[in-house]
Amino acid sequence: NAGVMQNPRHLVRRRGQEARLRCSPMKGHSHVYWYRQLPEEGLKFMVYLQKENIIDESGMPKERFSAEFPKEGPSILRIQQVVRGDSAAYFCASSPGENEQFFGPGTRLTVL
Amino acid sequence: GEDVEQSLFLSVREGDSSVINCTYTDSSSTYLYWYKQEPGAGLQLLTYIFSNMDMKQDQRLTVLLNKKDKHLSLRIADTQTGDSAIYFCAETLPPGGYQKVTFGIGTKLQVIP
């Protein structure tokens, strides 16, 4: 049973470009969470999704950021018009229900 | 300010015990966790404790919870070089019905051979 997969592992974008981060949850998991880890900081909750639904997006910046978890395929975290301050590690976690979250290896986004 | 606070750095000699401390602010925490993050990797759940427990032991790991003082600690016995990593304290809060996890800033543990 493969763990949580995230790709790409490293992503470099220039200011103003779009970044798309993908997360494939563990088999059988229908709950997905996205976290952001800024340099020298802990992880901050961004958004919690179930299939086709956003349950809690209280940690998402109001502009430029969006997330989806379609019926088929991975969850996507999309950042439009990236700025240098978006440089961070973005972690996805999944769970089968309301219990332990299993984390992916993260995507490290660098904005030039 | 942060809801979960930790010291930033701890250095110990191989074979000694390590104690990593954490304080949290919300007395309604349900679960408290310790995660380990090795360089370039994701987070690995080490252990957790339910808020109505005082202590939990799991091989070399001992978790102590002082709910009155909102203080959590992780003791690693016989610390090895492979234990060098960043350790995150985390909590989950009711209600919500899901595990929205709040993390501390992380304590970097350096083990000196």
Side-chain angles (χ1 to χ4, degrees), chain A residues 5-45:
Chain A
M5 310 279 282
Q6 288 188 249
N7 69 81
R9 292 293 307 276
H10 300 274
L11 181 61
V12 179
R13 285 287 179 266
R14 295 192 180 279
R15 280 179 296 171
Q17 291 184 320
E18 179 180 286
R20 279 181 177 249
L21 288 63
R22 293 174 185 78
C23 169
S24 297
M26 289 179 69
K27 188 176 181 181
H29 289 194
S30 58
H31 301 241
V32 166
Y33 310 79
W34 284 94
Y35 294 84
R36 177 166 66 174
Q37 184 180 29
L38 293 169
E40 308 300 324
E41 293 190 15
L43 278 73
K44 302 290 186 187
F45 169 81

Side-chain angles (χ1 to χ4, degrees), chain B residues 50-102:
Chain B
F50 190 52
S51 57
N52 68 353
M53 297 169 63
D54 298 323
M55 186 182 89
K56 182 177 180 181
Q57 187 152 4
D58 183 2
Q59 299 182 336
R60 292 192 296 123
L61 305 178
T62 303
V63 178
L64 294 177
L65 175 59
N66 181 330
K67 202 169 180 184
K68 175 176 170 287
D69 294 337
K70 302 189 186 68
H71 182 264
L72 182 74
S73 68
L74 173 69
R75 178 175 181 270
I76 306 172
D78 187 25
T79 312
Q80 303 297 307
T81 53
D83 295 325
S84 292
I86 299 175
Y87 290 81
F88 291 95
C89 171
E91 63 175 352
T92 54
L93 303 173
Y98 60 89
Q99 302 291 331
K100 180 177 171 180
V101 185
T102 301

Side-chain angles (χ1 to χ4, degrees), chain B residues 16-33:
Chain B
D16 288 350
S17 292
S18 308
V19 180
I20 303 171
N21 295 301
C22 166
T23 56
Y24 59 98
T25 55
D26 199 312
S27 57
S28 60
S29 296
T30 51
Y31 286 91
L32 293 133
Y33 304 85

